[in-house]
Amino acid sequence: MNKKIVLALGGNALGEGLAEQMQAVKTTARAIVDLIEHGHQVVVTHGNGPQVGMINLAFEAAAKSEAHTPMLPMSVCVALSQGYIGYDLQNALREELLDRNIVKPVATLITQVIVNGSDPAFLNPTKPIGSFFTKAEASQLTKNGYNMVEDAGRGYRRVVASPKPIDIVEKETVRAMMEAGQVVITVGGGGIPVIREGNHLRGASAVIDKDWASAKLAEMIDADMLIILTAVEKVAINFGKPNEQWLEQLSIADAQRFIEEGHFAKGSMLPKVEAAVAFAESKPGRQALITVLSKAQQGIEGKTGTVISH
């Protein structure tokens, strides 16, 4: 059965630097086009950790130079990363589709994601970004309105909030492109974080978890399946221990119980499982799959991966 899928690419699908990314997207494009060739409608989302870090570092270096270039707001850094990741990804997808005689337009959509200005995450920014600063530099940056924290004796770094996504501004555009048979790359890096102020959208100093944003998008475009790609084929409990257990099917209730029992690491599998649960419980019949990119089609067929559903 053909499905409407939101495919959330992990960081390993994009590589680290510019040259590595251009190579990585070729392999990634082949796996995505495999799904399209099977008849599925695919919307592609992706992370931007190394890329947005590189953009931050470049502008931090420029700010310290004689040019006195200002440090860019986080929302602008995410927008820049969406553009240049999308450029590589859409070209790789277009080429792979044409190589298989599939005529299907591919486009990257600069996507804004609404967050709540009153989200508790803004009171406790925890996501470190950019390079290290001296105490004196950090003091000046604090006066300029940046949140700075000392990082394990290595210096001071900027930290930003990671609020939950509550709406996708361009969701109707994503839906229209899908209905027109196009492949859309959207919600890059979790989306550009914005706060709604009347008719104005104000960029927020934040980063949004791309799996949570992908789950929200999947819910809003009425996808059948959310596929969250990671470095392991299945989700495990008691990971790395003698009683390690790999999971194929996971009910929402069991997933929530395992979350409460602390089976999933905060910085890696926890947000993926939480986002998968949020999508699966948003409407009966919806499924979330967590697996590796190369096994995505086998996961859809129920042959591998971890499926979370009612």
Side-chain angles (χ1 to χ4, degrees):
M1 182 180 163
N2 299 339
K3 294 183 183 294
K4 188 189 293 185
I5 295 167
V6 170
L7 187 73
L9 299 176
N12 58 344
L14 299 171
E16 294 286 329
L18 289 169
E20 204 177 302
Q21 178 174 295
M22 287 189 77
Q23 280 302 118
V25 293
K26 291 178 181 178
T27 306
T28 299
R30 285 195 288 273
I32 295 171
V33 175
D34 283 345
L35 300 180
I36 294 168
E37 204 166 35
H38 275 85
H40 303 299
Q41 279 185 297
V42 181
V43 168
V44 181
T45 67
H46 60 80
N48 69 345
Q51 294 84 359
V52 86
M54 185 183 74
I55 291 165
N56 260 293
L57 289 172
F59 278 89
E60 280 178 0
K64 292 177 181 178
S65 72
E66 291 178 10
H68 299 299
T69 307
M71 282 163 61
L72 287 185
M74 199 62 208
S75 53
V76 177
C77 291
V78 175
L80 287 171
S81 74
Q82 285 188 359
Y84 102 78
I85 292 169
Y87 160 64
D88 276 347
L89 200 47
Q90 72 186 34
N91 279 347
L93 281 167
R94 177 185 176 276
E95 185 176 338
E96 185 65 29
L97 285 161
L98 291 174
D99 284 348
R100 302 193 201 186
N101 296 314
I102 302 171
V103 179
K104 196 176 268 286
V106 186
T108 299
L109 184 64
I110 301 300
T111 315
Q112 302 171 97
V113 175
I114 305 283
V115 296
N116 187 342
S118 301
D119 191 303
F122 284 108
L123 299 175
N124 182 32
T126 56
K127 286 272 188 180
I129 56 163
S131 56
F132 293 93
F133 292 85
T134 65
K135 189 171 184 179
E137 289 170 332
S139 177
Q140 186 57 50
L141 286 166
T142 301
K143 288 176 186 173
N144 293 344
Y146 295 102
N147 290 299
M148 308 295 294
V149 295
E150 200 276 329
D151 190 325
R154 296 179 294 176
Y156 290 78
R157 291 182 83 186
R158 288 171 63 197
V159 287
V160 296
S162 186
K164 288 286 189 292
I166 57 175
D167 197 6
I168 313 288
V169 177
E170 291 79 14
K171 57 186 178 291
E172 287 91 353
T173 307
V174 176
R175 200 180 293 125
M177 291 172 74
M178 276 196 85
E179 288 170 359
Q182 302 188 26
V183 180
V184 56
I185 301 160
T186 182
V187 193
I192 302 163
V194 293
I195 295 167
R196 191 184 280 122
E197 295 177 342
N199 290 332
H200 176 65
L201 297 175
R202 175 173 61 84
S205 181
V207 290
I208 303 166
D209 182 89
K210 61 97 181 165
D211 295 316
W212 274 103
S214 301
K216 178 58 69 176
L217 175 73
E219 178 187 333
M220 292 189 146
I221 65 170
D222 197 25
D224 303 306
M225 179 174 269
L226 168 66
I227 302 180
I228 297 177
L229 300 170
T230 186
V232 291
E233 197 169 324
K234 297 177 184 178
V235 176
I237 54 172
N238 303 309
F239 183 70
K241 298 175 182 175
N243 59 340
E244 178 181 84
Q245 182 185 348
W246 296 95
L247 307 167
E248 294 180 1
Q249 297 283 336
L250 198 50
S251 70
I252 289 167
D254 283 342
Q256 288 170 331
R257 177 165 58 85
F258 292 146
I259 288 167
E260 287 166 15
E261 290 173 0
H263 282 281
F264 310 121
K266 263 189 179 181
S268 57
M269 193 56 78
L270 179 61
K272 298 181 190 305
V273 175
E274 287 179 329
V277 168
F279 174 69
E281 69 180 355
S282 64
K283 185 180 176 181
R286 288 177 175 168
Q287 292 184 320
L289 167 69
I290 300 176
T291 193
V292 290
L293 177 61
S294 60
K295 301 286 181 75
Q297 179 56 38
Q298 288 173 258
I300 293 168
E301 293 166 1
K303 296 175 182 173
T304 192
T306 301
V307 173
I308 299 174
S309 60
H310 273 284

